[in-house]
Amino acid sequence: MSSLARRPWRAHSILPGFGIGLGIAVTALSLIVLIPLAALVIKAASAGPAGFVALALSPRTLLALRLSFGAALIAALVNVIFGVIIAWVLVRYDFPGKKLLDAAIDLPFALPTAVAGIALTAIYAPNGWIGGLLAPWGIKIAYTPLGVVMALIFVSLPFIVRTVQPVLQECEAELEEAAALSGASRLRTIWSVILPPLLPALLTGFILALARAVGEYGSVIFIAGNLPGISEIAPLLIVIRLEQFDYAGAAVVGVLMLAISFTLILSINSLQALVRRRLGYV
Amino acid sequence: MSVSVTLENVAKQYGAFAAVRGVSLAIQPGELIALLGPSGSGKTTLLRMMAGLEAIDGGNILFDGIDTSRLSLRDRRIGFVFQNYALFRHMSVADNIAFGLKVRPRKERPSASEISRRVSGLLELVQLGGLEKRFPSQISGGQRQRVALARALAIEPRVLLLDEPFGALDAKVRKDLRQWLRDLHRRTGHTTVFVTHDQEEALELADRVAILNKGLLEQVAGPDTVYDYPATAFVCDFLGETNRIPVEIAGGRAHFENIPVYQGLPSNSHGKAELFVRPQHLKLVEPGGSPFSGAVELIRRHGSIRRAEVAIKGLPKRLDIDIVSQIGPAIGESVGVRITHAQAFPAG
Amino acid sequence: MSDIVVAPVPPVHTHRVRSESPMVRACLIGIALAFLGVFLILPLTVVFLEAFANGWQAYIENILETDALAAIRLTLLVAIIAVPLNVIFGVAAAWAVAKFEFRGKNLLISLIDLPFSVSPVISGLVYVLLFGAQGYFGPWLKSHGVEIIFALSGIVLATLFVTFPFVARELIPHMQTLGNNDEEAALTLGASGWQTFVKITLPNVKWSLLYGVLLCNARAMGEFGAVAVVSGKIRGLTTTMPLHIEILFNEYMSAAAFAVASLLALLALVTLAVKTWLEWRFADEIAARSGH
């Protein structure tokens, strides 16, 4: 009884294989992910404080970061709106081909980004399927920042739908019926009964969509045009610096991307925690 | 075949929470014993420690006087029936039962024909002949329970441990299986420990009942003893219904507000206490027949009997009293109350 | 009481409370269909139409072209190496995380998910920084004749990085919901640890394992950014199918690019079909669909 005070770092279990399981997991994680990422940070730091700031604040870097994060934000917001509508339609309504459509939502997860990239380019290029229709009106999509947004909408489309869908499915009918019986209009019911519980899921989907879109490369480079300062995304800048053997320059952009991403993810996570508390989900 | 199980001051700690706080218990070979207690009383933890599924933080658990805590689960040979049965859903009923035989090292493993002979024997024993090809998802809850038991028996266990064996079943099946388990135990004679939170189940089935509360053993005794002579206020309250009357005791006589109400207590008891009286141990008499009196406020049906609620001046809660005679009192009638049997515990 | 006849509530009524007017409904379905049509169905259609733009004959020739075949072979090779490695890792990690309680578990889960929030280009970059010509170990490797960057091992490493979380991520929630009772039962029945794992744990999670393998494989074969950085794009040698598509597209060989792309699109469709089938058939066994 006397040795009980000291709490071991893991609870006793009669199941075997903890050591080997954790050993393989931690070793693989360190070798494949953590040590290489540490190398990135070390490389970026090797530029020295002054060098780091100079590389980070160079107009080309700033513009590339602005495009990557700006376009990702717009794409994620577009997907919030359409994602909720799609999730709503898939959960609440019946129409022919619904199951097929539901399955197709995951296409951007499964379709390699290079394939998506060339397909989107073929659609939105000035001589393309849709681009050709818009060209006479003076609207250009491919080879402009708008093209970047279009590609990012594609790759981050499933995230919102897939996080909102299950929550919408579990929304109790009684809640809506109670609201209707209390005399609330349908719009009012949707706004104040159905939407609030969706908010945490929506934020989760938003984070996932944003994280994916910020780092996206394959589907963007074909359609972007890649003009430095205009339609050059941050990942592409990394590739270009690497091709010039400017390892430190590439590492600085990489570290900046990760730093901004993680700050965004963390702040949205705390916003989400706040929303959950406010709405009474503990 | 069956062995004795001895618990010596067994303890278990989860972080800051003491789940089991020094329990000692001697279980005889072939005994059928129930661990009874509310949820969180430590009964399942105790059972899992006996099985070797949880580490013992203090004390010893001995099987036939031998400490087995260093033995592997295979060498302990303990039959354990999980609350949710933990049947392997990708295996047929027969494969589930045979599992413990098939996984033995080659040298000790019975031949295939011997295994199938034993499986059909066990299926007969648990009255599930003909279901061997079914999968767990294709049989009823009660049948699953019996498959789990057959699977545990297949390894010829030295002790059989059951965690809430009837917890997941509906009332009717539960009653039938209770009977059946009792018969099975009589035939096989395994030392058997089962955990339950259902007092009726424990009292009906077990040779002895061990009552746990907050990690401590409150009382171990036969069903009649724990029911009629509970050792603690907790046991008295937990088993069956009780009325509680604050009393002053002097020389074995209990007084409520200076009225003598009961005198059957041990003559050496003194001081403030609470008298625990079961509804069937209260008798309604003529108003003059007892100094302890009040008025009937309500009469209601309570299963096979009727029950009167009698308000006593100075007592915050009405007394529940079983009405034995065909003709009972009327609502509003004044009555006298006589206590035929009671237990006193320190006020608390 | 008995003379009051309670009319059955028509189901239409409750339906109306929980739904919108047909107009609104049609509008919303229209918006959803239009959006998905433009963003999902159109690109997929374009891939196949462009691939067959010059007819069947040209399509077959484009796929059987030497460099295209080399790219297909390399892609398959990379997947055959990377996927099993990630299965081993994923199963080991899921076992440790789902079956045991230990401090730092949540940190471990977050770290396993880390590659999802790292740009694929960075996933490639880190290996160049380590093993590239001017990387930390580059010169040493070169003097010992080991090539990682611009070679198969670099491509495999970058693929491992980006597909790292897939298997573990499907297994962990499933194993957690299953709990430890089945394993405990097997152990009390005398099974060894290995027997318990092979005969009880693996069969219990086989569908979510297959699900994870499927997603892992789709990503491994389709990865572009990470592989692009480490491969050096030596035509016919270090170009996987996605890289080969890029080369062809940049050389204005559109039909050839789309022909190779159509193979990957087919892989995506098969992946989706099997995935959907798994979800319909084993919905309760596979943890809630999570975004990747």
Side-chain angles (χ1 to χ4, degrees):
Chain A
M1 285 284 291
S2 55
S3 62
L4 293 182
R6 196 176 51 86
R7 205 169 130 230
W9 75 284
R10 76 172 181 104
H12 166 87
S13 170
I14 56 133
L15 296 190
F18 174 71
I20 187 167
L22 192 72
I24 292 175
V26 170
T27 309
L29 185 68
S30 307
L31 289 179
I32 303 289
V33 179
L34 299 182
I35 295 174
L37 278 178
L40 174 75
V41 178
I42 295 170
K43 192 72 196 179
S46 73
F52 186 93
V53 170
L55 281 166
L57 293 183
S58 80
R60 192 172 175 184
T61 309
L62 286 180
L63 286 169
L65 286 172
R66 195 181 72 175
L67 177 63
S68 273
F69 283 91
L73 266 173
I74 296 171
L77 286 174
V78 169
N79 275 329
V80 164
I81 296 165
F82 287 97
V84 171
I85 294 177
I86 292 167
W88 180 267
V89 166
L90 287 178
V91 171
R92 291 306 180 91
Y93 304 151
D94 266 319
F95 52 92
K98 179 171 128 168
K99 282 200 161 177
L100 205 64
L101 204 64
D102 193 6
I105 299 287
D106 287 328
L107 186 68
F109 288 153
L111 194 69
T113 54
V115 179
I118 61 169
L120 290 171
T121 311
I123 294 170
Y124 295 109
N127 57 354
W129 296 52
I130 292 181
L133 299 175
L134 298 173
W137 304 83
I139 303 170
K140 268 188 80 179
I141 295 179
Y143 316 131
T144 70
L146 191 57
V148 177
V149 172
M150 292 305 244
L152 295 186
I153 290 176
F154 173 83
V155 296
S156 61
L157 187 146
F159 290 99
I160 308 274
V161 181
R162 288 305 186 219
T163 44
V164 168
Q165 221 176 357
V167 186
L168 213 50
Q169 225 132 30
E170 278 160 29
C171 186
E172 294 164 68
E174 284 84 351
L175 291 180
E176 285 168 61
E177 284 162 3
L181 288 172
S182 341
S185 70
R186 184 66 192 154
L187 209 59
R188 185 65 208 257
T189 304
I190 291 175
W191 183 253
S192 45
V193 174
I194 300 175
L195 280 186
L198 286 187
L199 222 48
L202 211 52
L203 282 172
T204 306
F206 186 75
I207 298 177
L208 293 171
L210 193 68
R212 173 67 202 266
V214 162
E216 180 54 24
Y217 177 69
S219 59
V220 178
I221 51 154
F222 296 98
I223 199 174
N226 307 330
L227 286 173
I230 296 169
S231 54
E232 182 181 71
I233 53 167
L236 178 64
L237 185 58
I238 293 179
V239 172
I240 290 172
R241 293 238 162 107
L242 268 184
E243 279 168 359
Q244 299 162 344
F245 293 101
D246 178 7
Y247 284 13
V252 167
V253 180
V255 164
L256 283 175
M257 282 183 69
L258 288 183
I260 301 173
S261 286
F262 291 149
T263 315
L264 274 174
I265 291 173
L266 281 179
S267 46
I268 298 174
N269 268 334
S270 27
L271 179 66
Q272 193 188 31
L274 193 79
V275 168
R276 277 182 189 278
R277 263 202 305 280
R278 271 290 176 79
L279 293 174
Y281 310 98
V282 184
Chain B
M1 187 72 233
S2 31
V3 300
S4 71
V5 184
T6 314
L7 281 67
E8 289 174 346
N9 209 20
V10 173
K12 178 75 190 178
Q13 191 92 10
Y14 292 113
F17 174 67
V20 176
R21 303 186 287 171
V23 168
S24 297
L25 178 62
I27 301 167
Q28 305 307 317
E31 197 174 17
L32 178 57
I33 197 163
L35 296 181
L36 176 66
S39 58
S41 58
K43 54 192 192 303
T44 293
T45 307
L46 202 57
L47 194 78
R48 288 174 59 89
M49 283 197 282
M50 291 186 200
L53 292 170
E54 299 280 347
I56 303 166
D57 288 344
N60 294 303
I61 296 179
L62 311 174
F63 291 84
D64 263 353
I66 298 159
D67 184 355
T68 57
S69 60
R70 286 179 195 288
L71 284 185
S72 72
L73 286 182
R74 168 182 283 166
D75 297 329
R76 286 180 184 221
R77 292 232 323 276
I78 282 167
F80 197 96
V81 176
F82 289 80
Q83 187 174 2
N84 60 5
Y85 318 134
L87 292 182
F88 308 133
R89 70 201 81 183
H90 59 283
M91 294 183 195
S92 66
V93 164
D95 286 340
N96 261 286
I97 297 173
F99 183 84
L101 301 172
K102 285 184 179 168
V103 295
R104 285 195 187 164
R106 191 148 296 156
K107 279 178 294 180
E108 303 165 28
R109 194 187 309 157
S111 67
S113 59
E114 168 69 8
I115 289 179
S116 80
R117 199 185 57 75
R118 282 218 231 161
V119 167
S120 27
L122 283 160
L123 277 164
E124 282 313 313
L125 183 69
V126 299
Q127 299 162 5
L128 287 179
L131 290 187
E132 45 270 78
K133 293 252 157 35
R134 303 273 194 94
F135 283 86
S137 59
Q138 298 167 327
I139 57 178
S140 74
Q143 290 170 335
R144 275 179 222 167
Q145 213 275 343
R146 286 182 275 160
V147 173
L149 197 62
R151 187 178 70 177
L153 290 172
I155 60 165
E156 293 168 330
R158 306 194 303 156
V159 178
L160 192 58
L161 305 176
L162 304 100
D163 187 5
E164 295 276 5
F166 313 112
L169 301 170
D170 50 44
K172 173 81 177 73
V173 183
R174 201 186 280 204
K175 284 236 155 107
D176 293 348
L177 272 179
R178 232 187 254 169
Q179 212 62 60
W180 173 81
L181 183 68
R182 176 91 235 183
D183 292 345
L184 186 80
H185 174 258
R186 207 169 288 150
R187 263 188 290 161
T188 59
H190 285 101
T191 310
T192 304
V193 184
F194 72 98
V195 154
T196 179
H197 65 272
D198 181 344
Q199 40 159 311
E200 204 185 309
E201 201 167 282
L203 295 175
E204 185 183 321
L205 204 50
D207 297 328
R208 283 195 300 158
V209 181
I211 296 149
L212 285 154
N213 179 35
K214 293 178 181 156
L216 288 172
L217 191 59
E218 297 267 344
Q219 186 175 12
V220 198
D224 291 338
T225 312
V226 290
Y227 191 80
D228 289 329
Y229 300 96
T232 64
F234 172 81
V235 174
C236 191
D237 227 11
F238 188 70
L239 293 180
E241 293 161 289
T242 48
N243 295 292
R244 299 165 81 147
I245 307 165
V247 290
E248 189 85 40
I249 300 172
R253 290 161 186 268
H255 294 262
F256 168 70
E257 304 211 316
N258 295 322
I259 307 165
V261 288
Y262 186 62
Q263 28 194 308
L265 297 169
S267 56
N268 56 355
S269 49
H270 289 282
K272 273 193 181 308
E274 242 181 326
L275 208 58
F276 285 64
V277 197
R278 301 207 186 278
Q280 66 268 34
H281 294 145
L282 283 167
K283 227 168 132 183
L284 291 176
V285 293
E286 294 297 309
S290 164
F292 192 41
S293 62
V296 177
E297 293 221 335
L298 199 67
I299 295 174
R300 56 195 162 81
R301 193 79 219 165
H302 196 83
S304 56
I305 46 140
R306 286 186 306 153
R307 183 167 285 177
E309 292 186 14
V310 176
I312 307 269
K313 202 168 147 279
L315 205 61
K317 266 194 84 186
R318 294 190 287 233
L319 292 180
D320 284 334
I321 301 172
D322 285 356
I323 302 171
V324 222
S325 57
Q326 282 297 313
I327 342 138
I331 289 174
E333 203 177 307
S334 292
V335 288
V337 177
R338 193 178 293 157
I339 298 171
T340 57
H341 178 81
Q343 296 261 309
F345 298 104
Chain C
M1 272 299 279
S2 60
D3 54 356
I4 301 170
V5 178
V6 181
V9 181
V12 184
H13 176 70
T14 48
H15 208 87
R16 250 190 46 219
V17 170
R18 290 196 69 203
S19 193
E20 291 72 40
S21 68
M23 262 285 281
V24 176
R25 225 185 306 176
C27 268
L28 288 175
I29 293 178
I31 293 173
L33 287 179
F35 188 81
L36 293 178
V38 170
F39 278 97
L40 293 184
I41 311 302
L42 186 60
L44 193 64
T45 319
V46 163
V47 170
F48 289 101
L49 288 179
E50 293 278 339
F52 289 102
N54 301 337
W56 268 102
Q57 206 71 40
Y59 178 79
I60 304 283
E61 274 168 26
N62 281 330
I63 285 177
L64 295 182
E65 192 261 333
T66 326
D67 289 345
L69 282 181
I72 294 171
R73 262 198 301 274
L74 181 61
T75 301
L76 291 175
L77 182 62
V78 169
I80 284 169
I81 300 172
V83 174
L85 283 176
N86 267 342
V87 166
I88 294 173
F89 153 74
V91 169
W95 179 260
V97 165
K99 298 288 179 194
F100 300 87
E101 287 305 322
F102 56 96
R103 261 185 271 175
K105 184 156 128 172
N106 286 331
L107 177 69
L108 183 63
I109 296 176
S110 312
L111 289 177
I112 289 171
D113 270 348
L114 190 61
F116 278 144
S117 35
V118 172
S119 171
V121 168
I122 297 179
S123 318
L125 166 68
V126 291
Y127 290 109
V128 177
L129 296 179
L130 282 176
F131 306 123
Q134 295 165 34
Y136 290 111
F137 304 109
W140 185 87
L141 288 173
K142 195 169 180 190
S143 66
H144 287 77
V146 182
E147 266 188 293
I148 292 183
I149 300 306
F150 302 163
L152 176 66
S153 32
I155 298 174
V156 169
L157 279 173
T159 306
L160 279 175
F161 186 112
V162 293
T163 57
F164 198 73
F166 283 93
V167 176
R169 211 176 205 236
E170 294 305 327
L171 286 182
I172 288 172
H174 189 194
M175 279 192 181
Q176 274 172 334
T177 40
L178 285 175
N180 294 355
N181 272 355
D182 281 13
E183 282 80 9
E184 287 173 349
L187 289 171
T188 59
L189 293 170
S192 69
W194 182 247
Q195 283 173 324
T196 304
F197 177 72
V198 173
K199 295 191 172 190
I200 306 301
T201 311
L202 278 187
N204 270 347
V205 298
K206 60 174 183 275
W207 296 118
S208 32
L209 182 62
L210 178 60
Y211 193 87
V213 166
L214 205 65
L215 298 178
C216 182
N217 179 63
R219 183 70 193 265
M221 291 181 122
E223 179 51 28
F224 179 74
V227 173
V229 173
V230 294
S231 98
K233 297 177 195 164
I234 307 162
R235 212 172 158 144
L237 270 181
T238 62
T239 48
T240 59
M241 288 165 78
L243 298 179
H244 192 60
I245 293 172
E246 187 200 15
I247 292 174
L248 292 172
F249 194 75
N250 286 344
E251 288 171 353
Y252 300 102
M253 298 169 69
S254 169
F258 277 104
V260 180
S262 71
L263 293 181
L264 285 177
L266 213 58
L267 169 75
L269 288 179
V270 171
T271 303
L272 276 190
V274 180
K275 177 175 181 287
T276 308
W277 177 75
L278 281 176
E279 280 165 359
W280 286 350
R281 181 101 168 59
F282 306 101
D284 46 331
E285 292 185 34
I286 297 168
R289 288 182 269 189
S290 45
H292 299 287

